[in-house]
């Protein structure tokens, strides 16, 4: 089955700087890679996703890059703000599979 | 956008009682819903997958008689924790798929505390 590793587990960034979170996956059949943001006591919120036929996707301050050959994908947050502080999860799945496999999460703290 | 509503957001119950958690897709029909459990500072652990009108598929190690799942309509799935015990205390989260087999949208979660 799929295995997703996520690094780092914690990340502190000065407000205004960029944050990068990296994930690797094991199943070459995986072709859908979403990122979720989870605030304390709430459910995960989809913030961006990417399919395997695309190498990069951007939405305002958030971008995701995918390297299929190396089987890794990354989340980039630029111009970080205090409200970006949360736990971020990457995930992966095969289009024909219903289940998402989640990474272990990254606790991002933005220092004012 | 796709909204998934989950209720209650928190519940406290006595040991031995049963608790029902509801998950509703508000603006789309969810052919598949998922139930997760999350312990503090940990990732989401998939408990079961439910498809409308059929029995849920449970992950290995999840007791189907303890965690009853009903997906009676395309907009509602329920999770009932039967005879709850303190070790069942956890954050339970549902998610729903619109049927395009891709994007998953999550409910806001339910914090269950069993005394």
């Amino acid at each position: 089955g799929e295995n997703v590793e996520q690094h780092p587990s914690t990340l502190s960034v000065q407000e205004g700087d960029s944050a990068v979170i990296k994930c690797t996956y094991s199943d070459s059949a995986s072709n859908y890679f979403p990122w979720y943001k989870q605030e304390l006591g709430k459910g995960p919120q989809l913030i961006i996703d990417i399919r395997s036929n695309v190498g990069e996707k951007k939405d305002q301050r958030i971008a995701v890059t995918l390297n299929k050959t190396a089987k890794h994908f990354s989340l980039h947050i630029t111009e970080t703000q205090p409200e970006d502080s949360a736990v971020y999860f990457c995930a992966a799945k095969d289009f024909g599979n219903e289940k998402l496999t989640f990474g272990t999460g990254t606790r991002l703290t933005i220092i004012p | 956008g796709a909204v998934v509503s989950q209720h209650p957001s928190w519940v406290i119950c006595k040991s031995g009682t049963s608790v029902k958690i509801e998950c509703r897709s508000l603006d789309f029909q969810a052919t598949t819903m998922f139930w997760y459990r999350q312990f503090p500072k940990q990732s989401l652990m998939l408990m079961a997958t439910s498809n409308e009108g059929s029995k849920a598929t449970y992950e290995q190690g999840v007791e189907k008689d303890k965690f009853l799942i009903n997906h009676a309509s395309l907009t509602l799935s329920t999770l009932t924790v039967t005879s709850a015990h303190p070790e069942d205390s956890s954050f339970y989260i549902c998610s729903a798929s619109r049927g395009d087999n891709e994007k998953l949208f999550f409910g806001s979660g339910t914090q269950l505390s069993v005394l």
Side-chain angles (χ1 to χ4, degrees):
Chain A
E2 175 67 279
N3 181 49
V4 178
E5 295 189 356
Q6 183 172 345
H7 299 280
S9 56
T10 61
L11 178 61
S12 294
V13 173
Q14 204 73 35
E15 182 178 355
D17 288 350
S18 296
V20 180
I21 303 170
K22 299 181 179 181
C23 289
T24 60
Y25 61 99
S26 61
D27 189 351
S28 57
S30 289
N31 55 14
Y32 175 64
F33 308 93
W35 284 88
Y36 290 89
K37 174 184 180 182
Q38 186 178 28
E39 297 177 339
L40 189 63
K42 297 183 179 181
Q45 176 189 7
L46 178 67
I47 57 172
I48 196 167
D49 56 6
I50 191 168
R51 298 181 189 179
S52 59
N53 59 348
V54 177
E56 183 175 357
K57 184 177 178 180
K58 189 174 182 181
D59 183 5
Q60 300 182 339
R61 297 187 296 109
I62 296 173
V64 56
T65 59
L66 171 65
N67 183 326
K68 278 201 70 179
T69 303
K71 288 191 275 188
H72 66 70
F73 56 112
S74 301
L75 177 70
H76 305 252
I77 305 174
T78 59
E79 301 172 21
T80 53
Q81 301 168 2
E83 52 266 35
D84 294 330
S85 294
V87 178
Y88 291 81
F89 291 98
C90 63
K93 87 179 186 79
D94 170 6
F95 189 76
N97 191 343
E98 294 177 316
K99 305 176 190 177
L100 273 179
T101 301
F102 285 89
T104 48
T106 297
R107 182 171 299 276
L108 175 62
T109 303
I110 307 302
I111 305 167
Chain B
V3 179
V4 177
S5 175
Q6 185 174 342
H7 292 283
S9 56
W10 59 270
V11 57
I12 302 172
C13 70
K14 292 182 179 180
S15 186
T17 60
S18 295
V19 174
K20 180 184 283 188
I21 303 170
E22 288 190 352
C23 181
R24 294 180 184 272
S25 55
L26 297 186
D27 53 358
F28 66 99
Q29 292 187 326
T31 55
T32 306
M33 288 186 171
F34 304 87
W35 288 95
Y36 301 82
R37 186 172 181 177
Q38 186 179 34
F39 292 105
K41 299 185 179 181
Q42 293 190 20
S43 189
L44 289 78
M45 182 187 78
L46 180 65
M47 298 174 65
T49 302
S50 75
N51 292 291
E52 186 265 339
S54 62
K55 290 184 179 181
T57 303
Y58 290 82
E59 295 300 298
Q60 192 172 11
V62 178
E63 299 176 60
K64 62 179 181 180
D65 294 329
K66 180 159 191 65
F67 299 101
L68 300 179
I69 292 172
N70 184 283
H71 193 160
S73 76
L74 284 172
T75 59
L76 174 64
S77 177
T78 60
L79 168 68
T80 301
V81 183
T82 63
S83 187
H85 291 283
E87 56 265 32
D88 299 324
S89 298
S90 188
F91 193 57
Y92 293 88
I93 314 171
C94 70
S95 70
S97 167
R98 287 185 301 197
D100 56 6
N101 212 24
E102 193 165 87
K103 297 183 189 293
L104 278 186
F105 300 93
F106 285 82
S108 53
T110 298
Q111 181 64 51
L112 170 64
S113 296
V114 185
L115 304 178

